[in-house]
Amino acid sequence: MKPMNVIKTPLIALTLLSLFACEQQKREKPQVEVVVKTVEQYPYQSSNTFVGHLTATSDVAIQARVKAKITAVNFKEGSKVVAGDVLFELNDDELQAQYKQVKAEVSRSVSALNVAQKNYNRGQELAPDGYISTSELDNLEGKLAEANSQLEAAKAQLETAKVNLAYSKIAAPLSGTIDRSKFSVGDIVSPEVGSLTTIVAVNMMEVPFQLSEKVYWKLVRRFQKEKIKMGARKPIVEIAFAADDIYEHQGSIEFISNRVNPETGSMEVRATVPNPDGILKPGQYVQVILKSPTAVDTIMIPQSAVQSDQQGDFVMTIVDDHKVKRSNVTLGKRVDTLVIVEDGLVVDQTLVISGVQQIRVGQQVKTKFAVAPTSAADSSANNH
């Protein structure tokens, strides 16, 4: 029996040695190495995009003010006209006759007033000596007043006739692009026939678009955060026909509705955009881009550093003892390969940007700093 005990003792010792060696290997397992970078801010000019449509700042209907026959149409449809250009000429024979008739009536009224004035003056000279009665003098005074009223009425008619005569030439009230004429030479027009043509002022274009209540408050809070007073420094307005086709002239916000439409939950905003070359046409749909007037330092991180679970978006950061810590974040817009962090990180934290799938919260890791970019654009390039 004793020899068997001697044999067992070495076996037990060997087993203990093996277990100790395995435990030692576990303890000496190398730490995971992750790539990290310091959380930084980059200059960022925030923007929002909406859909708008172009309209003319002035769209004027040209109408006849008198009834007459068209004798000339002095423009080509679709051409540019200048304020004061004569567009239509009307037959003014009847208007000329009316003007001459009223002018003659003014002359008769002037003569009648002169006679009434002389009779009244003579009556005043005769009344003190009793040659005419007081009632006769009153009658002369009344005729003088009546003659004066008739002259004033005739003058008013003459002014009307002069204005009507001027209406025989229909001029452009503003500069712009003119539409086709709805009437031709020989047609009789009048105020009742409606518009003869229209002129659209296209040197400046309006761009109305709808801004939701939610986006409005988001923009207001952003401007307050950026210390930009609404109205003091308005957002920059750009328009685009496609994502890579930005119009060369910038615009500005000119109107924000003072109420929200309860049916749509939005308010109307109107911008104006210069159109010196006439490229923009009323009715075109465009993208309206509102940009912050200044660039603001904003925390951005690589999108590859972000993970998501049921609790939301989060990143892994490294604390002083090289341990991994979870940091929940609120994200904003993506900027190339970066994403804006609105909340959850501060400058100078150490962020894990590579190897996040190999680590867990509380784990000690080795860190290797990535090459630090000098700008957000450089960071995007390094992550492509």
Side-chain angles (χ1 to χ4, degrees):
M1 297 293 293
K2 286 183 179 180
M4 291 181 63
N5 289 337
V6 172
I7 294 171
K8 284 183 177 181
T9 299
L11 287 174
I12 292 171
L14 184 61
T15 301
L16 290 174
L17 266 172
S18 298
L19 290 173
F20 178 78
C22 290
E23 185 65 26
Q24 188 69 18
Q25 286 178 355
K26 288 181 181 179
R27 289 178 184 174
E28 294 177 356
K29 184 177 179 179
Q31 293 178 329
V32 174
E33 184 178 75
V34 294
V35 180
V36 298
K37 74 178 295 291
T38 302
V39 175
E40 297 178 86
Q41 290 183 326
Y42 304 97
Y44 175 67
Q45 196 169 13
S46 59
S47 65
N48 290 80
T49 303
F50 309 89
V51 176
H53 69 279
L54 299 174
T55 61
T57 53
S58 296
D59 190 343
V60 179
I62 306 300
Q63 293 181 299
R65 302 293 297 272
V66 293
K67 185 176 181 179
K69 182 186 294 185
I70 296 176
T71 58
V73 177
N74 300 325
F75 63 89
K76 182 179 179 181
E77 61 183 47
S79 63
K80 294 185 182 298
V81 296
V82 178
D85 287 351
V86 176
L87 308 176
F88 296 92
E89 294 181 34
L90 307 180
N91 188 325
D92 62 355
D93 292 346
E94 185 176 347
L95 299 174
Q96 288 280 9
Q98 291 175 357
Y99 177 76
K100 291 177 181 178
Q101 181 179 357
V102 176
K103 191 175 181 180
E105 183 63 32
V106 170
S107 297
R108 285 193 294 269
S109 297
V110 169
S111 297
L113 178 61
N114 289 335
V115 172
Q117 185 68 58
K118 289 178 180 179
N119 290 338
Y120 177 70
N121 292 342
R122 191 177 297 113
Q124 284 186 315
E125 293 174 357
L126 297 175
D129 297 328
Y131 290 107
I132 63 171
S133 64
T134 303
S135 61
E136 287 176 322
L137 183 60
D138 291 342
N139 185 45
L140 292 174
E141 186 177 7
K143 288 182 178 180
L144 175 61
E146 182 180 356
N148 190 63
S149 297
Q150 288 176 347
L151 177 59
E152 292 301 319
K155 286 181 177 179
Q157 291 177 354
L158 180 63
E159 190 64 30
T160 300
K162 187 186 295 185
V163 170
N164 287 340
L165 186 59
Y167 286 152
S168 64
K169 297 188 187 310
I170 303 176
L174 75 165
S175 301
T177 302
I178 195 165
D179 198 1
R180 67 180 183 86
S181 174
K182 298 177 183 178
F183 298 89
S184 303
V185 173
D187 290 336
I188 295 176
V189 294
S190 67
E192 289 73 27
V193 301
S195 171
L196 307 183
T197 187
T198 57
I199 298 177
V200 175
V202 294
N203 59 321
M204 290 290 291
M205 299 293 288
E206 290 185 345
V207 193
F209 60 95
Q210 296 296 315
L211 187 67
S212 72
E213 183 180 9
K214 181 178 179 181
V215 172
Y216 170 76
W217 283 113
K218 185 176 181 180
L219 291 175
V220 170
R221 286 195 295 269
R222 180 199 298 165
F223 291 154
Q224 289 174 338
K225 184 177 180 181
E226 296 173 359
K227 297 180 181 179
I228 301 168
K229 294 182 179 179
M230 292 288 282
R233 298 192 66 186
K234 296 179 181 179
I236 296 169
V237 178
E238 294 181 338
I239 63 171
F241 303 100
D244 58 347
D245 189 10
I246 305 295
Y247 182 57
E248 59 183 316
H249 298 289
Q250 292 183 342
S252 60
I253 296 294
E254 298 298 330
F255 169 80
I256 300 177
S257 177
N258 61 0
R259 65 186 63 197
V260 175
N261 186 326
E263 295 181 1
T264 62
S266 62
M267 64 182 70
E268 181 178 321
V269 180
R270 189 163 59 245
T272 57
V273 182
N275 188 29
D277 303 318
I279 296 174
L280 306 179
K281 302 296 182 183
Q284 286 180 297
Y285 279 87
V286 294
Q287 296 177 16
V288 183
I289 305 166
L290 297 188
K291 284 187 174 181
S292 174
T294 57
V296 176
D297 288 340
T298 304
I299 291 178
M300 299 186 201
I301 62 173
Q303 295 177 33
S304 60
V306 180
Q307 301 182 78
S308 301
D309 60 14
Q310 293 180 346
Q311 297 180 39
D313 297 320
F314 67 95
V315 296
M316 293 299 194
T317 55
I318 305 299
V319 293
D320 293 337
D321 56 0
H322 289 273
K323 284 188 177 180
V324 177
K325 177 185 176 183
R326 171 183 173 133
S327 296
N328 295 327
V329 291
T330 302
L331 303 179
K333 279 188 173 184
R334 294 187 176 188
V335 183
D336 294 326
T337 59
L338 302 181
V339 62
I340 293 173
V341 178
E342 296 180 346
D343 189 36
L345 290 178
V346 295
V347 174
D348 292 335
Q349 283 184 278
T350 302
L351 173 72
V352 179
I353 62 172
S354 180
V356 291
Q357 303 295 337
Q358 305 172 31
I359 57 178
R360 64 182 185 278
V361 175
Q363 180 180 352
Q364 274 194 327
V365 295
K366 288 184 178 180
T367 59
K368 176 183 177 182
F369 276 85
V371 177
T374 57
S375 67
D378 292 340
S379 179
S380 297
N382 290 339
N383 281 279
H384 276 303

